[in-house]
Each structure stands twice: as C-alpha cells, then as structure tokens.
C-alpha cells in the first residue's frame, strides 16, 4: 500500500471507520471509555491537509477526539521534523493523542522525545519476545519504561504472549499491554463481547 500510494485512501478509510466506531461506543455506557489507536503512515502524515482530514473525520462522525490516538513510527521523524511537530500540536490542541510505535527499533533520537507532544511510548515486540531469556531485551524494556515515566508518558508493551512476560513487564512498571496473551484480533462484535467480560 505504501509503494503503490494506496496507503492514502486506505489510511483515510481506517481513520473514518475508527471515528465512526468511537461515536457508536460513546452512546454505550459500558464502551464509552474506550479509545482507538490508528496507525498513521509517514505518507499520510506528510500530506499538507492531514490535520484537516483528521479533524473532518472526527467532526463528521461526531467522535470525541480525546478517544482517538494516532500511532506514529520513528521513521516519520527522518525529515521535515518541524512540520510534523506543528501538525501534532495542532491535533493535540483538539484533544487527539499520540503514541510512538516500535520505539527503539529505528531512528530513535532522544531529543525528539522532549519536542513531540506524545502521550505514550510502545515497547516493540522484538524486545518483548525474548524478554525472559535475553538480558539485553530485558534491560531495553526496563529502560523504555523508566524513560517514559520520567517524561510523564504512558507506556504499552506489544507482542505479550505469556503470563510470565506480562508479569515481568508489570514488575518493571509497565501496566498496559497488547498481544495474543489477551486475545487474537477480533471483529468488532466479538471484541465488544470480550470487553464486556473483562
């Protein structure tokens, strides 16, 4: 999708669908607290009208912008950083949140972290996978948690597949997770049933 340019149309559809789902959940008391994170490609974010498209999707759906989180990857920060920061602040001012995905796997520059209006860092699954057997992965995961906390950011670990991984992360101060330990990907109806049970 990135290579063919379809990512722009696909990304817009995902964003509009997510905002529509947030609006539907807002009228269900047991679901109204949920947020949706949407991965945004570098191509999308670099579009001159990206901010307008996000705000239009929120407005047209009647979604609460505080329930929408955009996930960015570090590769986005390779060029035009000032433009990216301005777009992030424009959306942040409207209530949209930001998560830095795959943190530590690419172009990590700690100087960006103090400039970007982030809410959360994500520990990449490549560090989580061997967290119990590779001391370097364990050290990196603990360091990301400490860094996030010291910057006032949330932290979430991806790729959590076992209780022992979850327990290790919890003991390191990470209390948000995604991965097969909790559930495989689900259609929205099945997810709603799952969310009501937990």
């Amino acid at each position: 999708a990135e290579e063919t340019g379809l990512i722009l149309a696909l990304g817009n559809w995902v964003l509009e669908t997510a905002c529509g789902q947030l609006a539907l959940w807002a009228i269900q008391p047991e679901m109204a607290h949920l947020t949706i994170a949407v991965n945004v490609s570098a191509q999308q974010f670099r579009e001159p009208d990206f901010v307008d498209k996000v705000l239009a999707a929120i407005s047209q759906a009647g979604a609460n912008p505080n329930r929408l989180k955009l996930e960015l990857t570090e590769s986005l920060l390779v060029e035009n950083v000032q433009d990216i920061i301005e777009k992030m602040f424009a959306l942040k001012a409207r209530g949209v949140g930001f998560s830095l995905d795959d943190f530590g796997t690419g172009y990590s520059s700690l100087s960006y972290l103090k400039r970007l209006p982030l809410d959360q860092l994500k520990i990449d699954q490549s560090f989580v996978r061997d967290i119990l057997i590779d001391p370097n992965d364990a050290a990196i995961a603990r360091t990301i948690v400490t860094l996030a906390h010291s910057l006032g950011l949330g932290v979430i670990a991806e790729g959590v597949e076992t209780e022992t991984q979850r327990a290790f992360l919890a003991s390191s101060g990470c209390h948000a997770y995604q991965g097969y330990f909790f559930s495989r990907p689900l259609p929205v109806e099945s997810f709603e049933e799952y969310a009501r049970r937990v």
Side-chain angles (χ1 to χ4, degrees):
E2 291 268 0
E3 290 171 9
T4 62
L6 283 174
I7 194 66
L8 297 177
L10 184 61
N12 287 338
W13 176 82
V14 170
L15 187 61
E16 290 166 5
T17 303
C19 289
Q21 189 61 60
L22 286 172
L24 289 172
W25 282 344
I27 57 176
Q28 302 175 50
E30 70 277 20
M31 308 299 278
H33 68 286
L34 295 176
T35 61
I36 294 182
V38 175
N39 290 88
V40 177
S41 80
Q43 282 188 46
Q44 276 179 280
F45 213 96
R46 290 187 184 118
E47 287 285 289
D49 60 349
F50 177 73
V51 171
D52 292 337
K53 282 182 178 173
V54 173
L55 295 177
I58 291 168
S59 176
Q60 288 167 10
N64 179 350
N66 296 293
R67 297 281 173 226
L68 178 66
K69 187 187 303 173
L70 301 182
E71 291 194 3
L72 316 174
T73 60
E74 293 176 355
S75 61
L76 184 66
L77 306 173
V78 176
E79 54 188 54
N80 296 328
V81 176
Q82 192 54 44
D83 177 62
I84 289 158
I85 290 171
E86 288 171 11
K87 288 176 179 173
M88 289 178 73
F89 272 103
L91 290 168
K92 184 81 172 174
R94 300 295 190 93
V96 177
F98 289 95
S99 180
L100 190 57
D101 200 4
D102 303 335
F103 182 70
T105 62
Y107 304 89
S108 296
S109 171
L110 298 181
S111 66
Y112 291 150
L113 292 184
K114 67 179 184 180
R115 297 174 61 198
L116 300 174
L118 293 168
D119 299 281
Q120 183 182 65
L121 298 181
K122 290 185 79 173
I123 303 173
D124 187 70
Q125 62 183 345
S126 64
F127 302 125
V128 173
R129 187 178 303 115
D130 294 329
I131 204 167
L132 301 170
I133 57 174
D134 186 330
N136 291 329
D137 284 342
I140 289 169
R142 280 195 298 263
T143 300
I144 293 172
V145 172
T146 302
L147 177 64
H149 289 169
S150 66
L151 292 170
L153 303 176
V155 61
I156 181 169
E158 60 184 14
V160 177
E161 297 186 354
T162 67
E163 168 57 27
T164 48
Q165 288 172 333
R166 189 210 63 78
F168 176 90
L169 289 158
S171 70
S172 301
C174 176
H175 302 289
Y177 327 95
Q178 66 183 61
Y180 290 170
F181 175 65
F182 303 96
S183 174
R184 299 265 171 174
L186 298 169
V188 70
E189 297 81 8
S190 301
F191 168 77
E192 288 175 348
E193 290 176 23
Y194 173 84
R196 289 186 181 102
R197 289 197 311 268
V198 293

